[in-house]
Amino acid sequence: MRALLLRLCLSIGLALLPLAPALAITTGKLLEVEIDKGDVVHLARPAASVFIANPAVADVQVLSPTLVYVFGRGLGETQLFAVDSHDKVLANQRVVVSHNLSGLRRAIAEAMPGSDIKAASVEGGLMLSGKVDSAAEAEQAARLAARFVPPKTGEVINELAVTGATQVNLRVRVAEVSRSLSKQFGINWESAAQFGNVTAALGVGRDFLDSSGVIQRGPNSLGALALGYSSNQLDLNTLIDALASEGLVSVLAEPNLTAMSGETASFLAGGEFPIPITNSNGDVSVEYRQFGVSLNFTPTLVGNGRVNLRVRPEVSQLSTAGAVRVNNLEIPAIATRRAETTVELGSGQSFAIAGLLRNDVNSSVSKYPFLGDLPVLGALFRSSTFQADESELVIIVTPYLVRPSDARRLAAPTDGYTRPSDVDLILKGKVQGQPSAAAKNDVGPVKGPVGAVGYLLD
């Protein structure tokens, strides 16, 4: 009986022996390789044939009967098969070829240390996810990822979330002080004398007598002192012009404007004045030119709280200097202060982007030849003019990284204003009513309506 059982077990073992190697099949495992890189696959038994389903995605190289090298050629997914000499399947393995994600992660870590950026290979391209501090960092990561996408094989899908402030408020200060000094002194003569049949006349300076003999004042509201003597033989008239004037002009403009990073914003506080234009047919059309305080700027966040700023502030006003007259119509000129530049600043830092210091001096002397050169008496036949203009201009820009705020925390110029009553306006001459309690205590903007509200009933 024992001999019968031993022979039975031996027969079963011999029958199962050929099947044992067939159970060592590499199946269901995922082999991930990056493009232009590879990995090795170990087989349990020597293989007689090894092949890949899609050679355009991956290629194989048999290093030994039990060692196969898989090389990624293109993006996608394929299948690896290996069989032995008895056509038994030794390997049936899924192969996925992805982008060079390890190289991309190293590049991002070197360019932006400490950033929370994840890269994944998806169908049709690369996908970036995670958080960055600025839009400039997101753009930089996208440019790096684009280098790891083969041409015409996909695109970069940017899903990065910008957690930092993406809006920039720009404050521009345009300050100018102009000082002018003018002095003028001159003696004008108009005289005539008759000696028998001989008449002699002398005129020095400007013509200050009209056709009726009335003395006319000079231009620019000159001070005038007139002296005259008349007899049968002598007519002597003298006019002394004198002027001393001093002027001071101060211009201060502080426009503020907010824009998102990478977007251009513009601002104008002023107006437009008409300019008539006549064409070849004699038809008159009107064009309008802007003047006032304007600001154009484009901010770009470059990381670490710094802003690359392209700014163009301008302050202009109508001026009679340089005005032209056409058909009895005076067209004014425009006095303009303008600057355009690109600077890089940190939030809250200021930069003087433009400045001008000007000093103009004009001096002139007009005199009668020979008589004006006489010692002492020559001053009676001379006129002198002196004019000095000094101006100093500076333009300062200050960017701030800002976030939206609650409306209750923002104050407006009209907060606390109360319309005056008839008694305040007529009897007291006031243009504003009694301020609210909030305005008196300076506790901030008023949250509700101030003064009489509702419908106006006639």
Side-chain angles (χ1 to χ4, degrees):
M1 188 64 180
R2 288 183 178 176
L4 180 61
L5 290 175
L6 183 59
R7 286 195 298 269
L8 180 60
C9 292
L10 183 60
S11 300
I12 295 174
L14 292 175
L16 294 177
L17 185 60
L19 297 177
L23 296 177
I25 302 175
T26 304
T27 60
K29 293 183 179 180
L30 177 63
L31 177 61
E32 294 185 0
V33 295
E34 296 178 351
I35 192 169
D36 296 332
K37 294 184 179 181
D39 200 355
V40 294
V41 176
H42 294 273
L43 302 176
R45 292 178 52 188
S49 178
V50 178
F51 59 94
I52 200 82
N54 187 355
V57 175
D59 198 1
V60 294
Q61 184 178 0
V62 179
L63 303 179
S64 69
T66 59
L67 190 62
V68 178
Y69 182 75
V70 181
F71 178 76
R73 300 186 60 183
L75 300 175
E77 184 177 337
T78 186
Q79 205 78 13
L80 171 67
F81 295 96
V83 297
D84 61 6
S85 58
H86 300 287
D87 293 335
K88 301 296 182 180
V89 178
L90 300 178
N92 180 8
Q93 192 166 5
R94 190 160 63 101
V95 179
V96 176
V97 180
S98 62
H99 296 86
N100 186 6
L101 299 180
S102 60
L104 175 58
R105 295 187 184 103
R106 286 194 302 269
I108 293 177
E110 293 177 359
M112 292 170 285
S115 60
D116 182 21
I117 300 177
K118 302 178 181 63
S121 182
V122 296
E123 184 178 356
L126 268 172
M127 183 177 69
L128 298 178
S129 60
K131 299 178 180 180
V132 292
D133 293 333
S134 65
E137 290 186 2
E139 184 179 357
Q140 183 181 7
R143 290 198 303 266
L144 287 175
R147 295 179 175 271
F148 291 85
V149 178
K152 301 180 181 180
T153 60
E155 60 181 357
V156 177
I157 304 173
N158 194 343
E159 296 292 335
L160 293 173
V162 179
T163 59
T166 60
Q167 298 179 102
V168 179
N169 175 267
L170 181 65
R171 178 189 179 192
V172 178
R173 284 180 290 169
V174 180
E176 181 183 17
V177 176
S178 300
R179 180 176 178 269
S180 61
L181 177 64
S182 177
K183 294 181 180 181
Q184 185 173 345
F185 184 84
I187 300 178
N188 307 285
W189 295 89
E190 286 194 9
S191 59
Q194 185 173 4
F195 304 97
N197 296 327
V198 179
T199 301
L202 174 65
V204 178
R206 64 181 181 88
D207 186 9
F208 58 89
L209 294 178
D210 59 8
S211 59
S212 60
V214 178
I215 296 176
Q216 301 293 326
R217 294 184 61 185
N220 302 324
S221 300
L222 289 174
L225 175 62
L227 299 174
Y229 173 79
S230 178
S231 66
N232 294 331
Q233 296 180 343
L234 179 64
D235 187 8
L236 178 63
N237 295 282
T238 303
L239 181 68
I240 301 175
D241 287 330
L243 174 66
S245 63
E246 184 175 357
L248 180 66
V249 178
S250 175
V251 178
L252 176 63
E254 293 192 19
N256 285 263
L257 192 58
T258 302
M260 291 187 62
S261 176
E263 300 294 332
T264 301
S266 60
F267 166 85
L268 172 64
E272 297 180 342
F273 71 96
I275 298 178
I277 298 177
T278 305
N279 58 20
S280 58
N281 298 327
D283 299 330
V284 179
S285 60
V286 177
E287 288 188 359
Y288 290 88
R289 299 291 176 86
Q290 294 181 345
F291 68 94
V293 180
S294 66
L295 174 62
N296 294 271
F297 84 108
T298 304
T300 302
L301 298 180
V302 295
N304 297 326
R306 300 193 65 81
V307 183
N308 182 281
L309 198 65
R310 182 173 182 83
V311 59
R312 186 179 186 271
E314 178 178 321
V315 176
S316 58
Q317 59 190 17
L318 300 181
S319 173
T320 57
V324 296
R325 182 173 292 275
V326 179
N327 297 331
N328 296 325
L329 178 63
E330 185 178 69
I331 302 176
I334 299 180
T336 304
R337 301 92 167 164
R338 179 190 301 124
E340 183 173 1
T341 185
T342 301
V343 294
E344 185 172 310
L345 301 173
S347 178
Q349 293 181 337
S350 298
F351 209 112
I353 63 171
L356 172 65
L357 183 62
R358 189 182 65 184
N359 188 1
D360 298 333
V361 177
N362 295 320
S363 180
S364 62
V365 175
S366 59
K367 60 185 178 180
Y368 193 90
F370 179 71
L371 295 179
D373 296 327
L374 294 175
V376 183
L377 296 178
L380 300 176
F381 303 95
R382 289 196 301 263
S383 297
S384 60
T385 301
F386 174 82
Q387 184 173 357
D389 295 308
E390 298 178 353
S391 65
E392 184 175 358
L393 169 69
V394 64
I395 301 177
I396 303 173
V397 296
T398 307
Y400 298 94
L401 298 181
V402 295
R403 299 176 184 269
S405 177
D406 193 311
R408 293 175 295 180
R409 301 180 59 185
L410 302 177
T414 55
D415 290 340
Y417 172 78
T418 304
R419 188 179 58 183
S421 63
D422 293 341
V423 175
D424 292 334
L425 182 62
I426 298 175
L427 298 182
K428 299 181 180 180
K430 295 182 178 180
V431 295
Q432 181 176 351
Q434 292 296 327
S436 63
K440 286 182 179 180
N441 299 328
D442 193 22
V443 295
V446 180
K447 299 181 180 179
V450 177
V453 296
Y455 294 97
L456 296 178
L457 302 179
D458 294 334

